[in-house]
Amino acid sequence: QLEVVKVEPYAFRVQRSAIGHIVFNEDATTNVLTPSSGRVIRLIANVGSQVKRGDPLLEIDSLEQVAPQNEFIAAQTARNKARSQLNLAQIVEKRVRGLHEGKAAPYKDLQQAEAQLAAAESDMRSTDTAFEAARIRLRILGLTDVEVAALEQTGALTRVTRIIAPIDGPVIARKVGPGQYVKADSGEALFVVADLSTMWLKAQIFEQDIAFVRVGQQVEARVSAAPNR
């Protein structure tokens, strides 16, 4: 029943044990902050609510929203005025150029019309930039594209800010209540939203075992909730 074989090196698997726990994927978990200070007037989502990106979580009454909206309307008015001046300058330049080509206007009139047209084009570019900057600021403060478009159409100011979900997933934590005053510079999360399509398994590796851990190794995990799997 014995077998004689040649002695040679043989590879075998070294196993190490560690205690761990299943946690949310930190790369797919987002803390929802407020871009402006104010008082919570309405809670829309709660812990366990399944939300999609862009869905409202809560509403805040904030005076900080009024000034950026007013700047947006002012930038819109300046852009409309610059567009009217540009249209007028284009018409004048075209008319003076036709008169000059027909020997009915001096060259200096054409030069003046061209200078006015160039100034109007420069003003148009400046007001376009200011308008887009005001639009971006409203987006940073939490207004959606639909709300910005409504403000552009109606010009009606509002103090209510809707805080929206940045990612898809369930709400796993809510740290704000109705009537609570929240600050933009506090850094405290109002909601926490997580994507549960993937989870993390964190293991507390013993110091003497760290040298044996390599990327790509197989890991066998057992959890208390499913002891037979």
Side-chain angles (χ1 to χ4, degrees):
Q1 297 177 348
L2 298 179
E3 181 182 359
V4 179
V5 297
K6 182 180 178 180
V7 176
E8 60 182 357
Y10 180 78
F12 64 96
R13 186 172 63 175
V14 179
Q15 293 184 339
R16 293 292 187 272
S17 298
I19 303 299
H21 56 283
I22 297 175
V23 298
F24 296 107
N25 183 348
E26 295 178 5
D27 292 338
T29 303
T30 302
N31 293 332
V32 180
L33 308 176
T34 173
S36 55
S37 302
R39 192 168 302 280
V40 178
I41 58 175
R42 182 188 175 200
L43 287 174
I44 302 174
N46 210 330
V47 175
S49 300
Q50 188 72 29
V51 298
K52 294 186 177 296
R53 181 178 182 181
D55 288 349
L57 301 176
L58 74 160
E59 292 181 350
I60 296 176
D61 182 10
S62 175
L63 286 174
E64 296 179 3
Q65 291 286 339
V66 176
Q69 294 179 56
N70 192 38
E71 292 175 2
F72 177 79
I73 294 176
Q76 180 186 14
T77 302
R79 189 186 65 161
N80 293 338
K81 182 179 179 180
R83 180 180 289 113
S84 299
Q85 294 294 333
L86 177 60
N87 293 336
L88 178 60
Q90 290 173 340
I91 294 173
V92 172
E93 192 273 341
K94 183 178 180 180
R95 182 178 70 247
V96 175
R97 181 176 296 277
L99 292 174
H100 175 71
E101 292 175 352
K103 308 299 182 182
Y107 181 65
K108 66 176 183 178
D109 290 350
L110 177 59
Q111 288 181 316
Q112 183 178 1
E114 290 176 342
Q116 292 176 347
L117 177 59
E121 291 174 344
S122 178
D123 290 343
M124 189 68 220
R125 288 191 296 268
S126 299
T127 54
D128 275 339
T129 301
F131 181 72
E132 287 303 317
R135 182 194 300 274
I136 292 173
R137 185 179 181 187
L138 291 180
R139 289 301 312 277
I140 294 175
L141 290 176
L143 271 70
T144 64
D145 291 334
V146 175
E147 292 172 335
V148 174
L151 177 62
E152 185 176 354
Q153 292 293 330
T154 63
L157 304 180
T158 178
R159 291 171 40 175
V160 178
T161 302
R162 280 192 170 187
I163 309 300
I164 60 175
I167 60 173
D168 299 346
V171 177
I172 63 173
R174 192 199 81 184
K175 303 177 182 179
V176 65
Q180 181 178 341
Y181 187 85
V182 294
K183 294 183 178 181
D185 56 355
S186 66
E188 297 181 359
L190 307 182
F191 285 83
V192 182
V193 182
D195 182 358
L196 303 186
S197 59
T198 58
M199 301 289 287
W200 280 6
L201 174 62
K202 283 190 173 182
Q204 306 296 329
I205 306 297
F206 292 109
E207 184 177 354
Q208 62 268 23
D209 294 337
I210 292 178
F212 298 98
V213 178
R214 297 288 185 273
V215 175
Q217 287 178 332
Q218 291 184 348
V219 177
E220 180 181 287
R222 296 184 181 274
V223 296
S224 300
N228 298 325
R229 295 177 59 185

